[in-house]
Amino acid sequence: MTQASSGSADSRNFLGVAEARAAILDGLSPISGWERVAVRAALGRVLAEDVIAPYNVPAHDNSAMDGYAVRAQDLAASTETSLAIVGTAFAGRPFSGIVGAGQAVRIMTGASIPQGADTVVVQEVARREHDRVFIPTGQKKGQNLRRAGEDLAQGGVALAAGTRCGPAELGLIASLGIAEAAVRRPLRVAFFSTGDEIASIGRPLGPGEVYDSNRYTLFGALSRLGCELLDMGVVPDRPEALEAAFRDAALTADVVITSGGVSVGEADFIRQMMARLGEVAFWKLAIKPGRPMAFGRIGGAVLFGLPGNPVAVMVTFYQFVHDALLKLMGVSPLPPAERFPARADFSLRKQPGRTEYLRGRLQRAPGALSVALAGAQGSGVLSSMSEADCFVVLPEDCTAVQPGDTVLVQPFHGLM
Ligand code: AMP
Ligand code: MG
């Protein structure tokens, strides 16, 4: 990848990605309010308090294998050992006796280790003859046991507050016998599209109109995050209509997200209105696509004014809004930005000074991962997002990419 020596975002009065992210995230703290919900309903929700293990998991030392529970001290070092089988231990049906000298108990996976025994010999290596079992040499004391508390220790933090519950967390909570979890209330997000030319689906397009797609991308992205949605439709570029929409949204929502109307040509009256309603900064971001963006507060709500172009909406959402919403939802720590190197299967020239987010498709190449560009890269070409499975992130100082160069990719997997 070719790099320019100068032309940083700062020197051109644009805000860099890292500065913008920091400016957004630093000022946000989690919403208050939580509720207790049944384990299943905790899926996708954020724990409001630590989940403490009420007892050990597993509760007892148990066998990791089907085999024979024995006493290590009985096993001869250099010859096969013959032991008397005195009973069987099943999972959920323990052997109630004590394993004495020269004795063994047939044991199944998950069964409690009988008193006296300290080692499990797998059935594949043992030879059984009637009520005796022959154990070869080479066994290690304590082998094939799962120790009590090895998964979760009694009194310990099984899951920390701030954890977002996925399938593993639901199972883990259930494994502790806990039926309900304390989770933060869902984040309430109001969103609308702006623009006189924006038409809602369900009616024919007038001359010069385009169908509203941003509200649908945002619906998808916000639903994935488990937000409570307030879809406010399309608002025309009229100051009174916009002001009413902003006031309305800020009244009930924690977050207001809009698209369109923040570029230089349109922003003036929005700027004045925002100054009346709250405190909002209009940024020129050093990114492509998605240069203009507004961020601030109106009333009690956090505002993100995203650009209008459909790809720019998705790029700014996933680079800035997504993690901000996680932080407001109480997710802690925030997941690290998932970026990894891949070999470029394309060539490209680029102006220095902006971080560029291309839409890419990952391919498994021999010994490496390679990435090709997914379709036309215009900021309005939504099909490139649909074809893509990752962003290719080119830093500000990059000026060209040649086939074979190493570039950083941010996979969509787990993000969208
Ligand atoms: P703006 O930032 O309002 O100047 O919009 C930039 C471009 O994005 C224009 O071509 C708009 O028509 C288009 N656009 C804005 N909002 C939407 C929307 N909700 N759905 C689809 N295209 C949009
Ligand atoms: Mg517009």
Side-chain angles (χ1 to χ4, degrees):
M1 195 160 59
T2 314
Q3 294 182 353
S5 51
S6 62
S8 78
D10 293 346
S11 66
R12 299 157 54 151
N13 207 17
F14 289 147
L15 198 58
V17 173
E19 294 78 46
R21 274 182 64 89
I24 292 169
L25 291 173
D26 289 353
L28 298 179
S29 40
I31 53 164
S32 50
W34 59 277
E35 58 187 325
R36 235 171 243 294
V37 299
V39 179
R40 288 190 184 93
L43 183 64
R45 305 287 293 272
V46 180
L47 292 176
E49 56 186 38
D50 292 346
V51 174
I52 306 293
Y55 39 74
N56 284 325
V57 177
H60 313 281
D61 287 356
N62 68 84
S63 180
M65 305 292 267
D66 291 341
Y68 296 88
V70 303
R71 300 157 18 119
Q73 72 206 79
D74 290 351
L75 304 180
S78 51
T79 58
E80 189 178 68
T81 304
S82 164
L83 300 171
I85 300 168
V86 294
T88 305
F90 297 97
R93 220 168 355 123
F95 174 73
S96 52
I98 298 176
V99 181
Q103 296 184 335
V105 162
R106 174 90 175 105
I107 193 163
M108 308 304 168
T109 303
S112 289
I113 303 299
Q115 226 181 315
D118 54 22
T119 299
V120 171
V121 178
V122 296
Q123 62 187 13
E124 286 78 3
V125 305
R127 183 166 53 82
R128 179 168 186 168
E129 279 177 21
H130 309 294
D131 55 358
R132 296 202 73 80
V133 62
F134 297 87
I135 310 291
T137 58
Q139 312 302 323
K140 286 201 180 59
K141 183 177 178 177
Q143 71 188 10
N144 300 319
L145 300 192
R146 299 173 184 145
R147 297 288 180 190
E150 140 185 316
D151 187 354
L152 300 167
Q154 179 175 21
V157 175
L159 290 170
T163 302
R164 191 153 174 240
C165 293
E169 286 72 26
L170 298 197
L172 208 145
I173 294 169
S175 79
L176 295 168
I178 296 174
E180 292 185 330
V183 294
R184 288 190 187 265
R185 72 166 170 85
L187 195 65
R188 278 193 288 271
V189 182
F191 60 109
F192 56 88
S193 297
T194 72
D196 289 335
E197 81 283 24
I198 307 301
S200 288
I201 54 177
R203 68 167 173 83
L205 278 186
E209 289 187 335
V210 291
Y211 280 123
D212 183 3
S213 57
N214 293 341
R215 247 166 69 231
Y216 292 84
T217 0
L218 287 174
F219 167 86
L222 295 167
S223 297
R224 282 270 202 265
L225 285 170
C227 298
E228 218 172 83
L229 302 187
L230 206 72
D231 183 343
M232 299 180 61
V234 180
V235 179
D237 288 319
R238 280 203 330 270
E240 328 76 64
L242 281 164
E243 179 161 350
F246 277 114
R247 277 191 199 284
D248 238 31
L251 224 50
T252 47
D254 303 302
V255 178
V256 180
I257 301 177
T258 66
S259 70
V262 289
S263 56
V264 181
E266 299 173 295
D268 275 358
F269 69 82
I270 292 198
R271 247 175 252 259
Q272 290 161 20
M273 176 215 314
M274 289 296 184
R276 280 200 304 278
L277 294 182
E279 223 170 286
V280 176
F282 286 77
W283 286 340
K284 278 190 288 181
L285 297 171
I287 71 169
K288 183 183 176 183
R291 190 184 308 230
M293 184 172 130
F295 171 71
R297 283 177 191 275
I298 44 170
V302 176
L303 171 86
F304 294 93
L306 305 185
N309 274 310
V311 179
V313 166
M314 295 197 75
V315 168
T316 49
F317 183 90
Y318 284 107
Q319 302 309 321
F320 303 104
V321 184
H322 182 269
D323 286 2
L325 298 182
L326 288 183
K327 187 162 183 191
L328 289 166
M329 287 161 64
V331 173
S332 169
L334 285 179
E338 207 63 77
R339 301 281 161 86
F340 57 83
R343 207 190 61 207
D345 261 355
F346 60 90
S347 66
L348 177 117
R349 301 184 62 76
K350 169 184 174 298
Q351 295 290 328
R354 290 161 87 180
T355 304
E356 203 161 318
Y357 295 89
L358 303 166
R359 277 71 69 205
R361 272 200 77 81
L362 291 168
Q363 274 137 2
R364 231 179 288 275
L369 210 55
S370 76
V371 63
L373 293 186
Q377 296 288 316
S379 65
V381 184
L382 208 45
S383 57
S384 70
M385 279 298 302
S386 167
E387 283 166 37
D389 54 16
C390 68
F391 287 122
V392 180
V393 186
L394 302 181
E396 285 181 14
D397 57 2
C398 164
T399 56
V401 178
Q402 304 295 338
D405 283 357
T406 297
V407 292
L408 282 184
V409 299
Q410 178 183 21
F412 292 168
H413 182 80
L415 188 67
M416 301 191 179

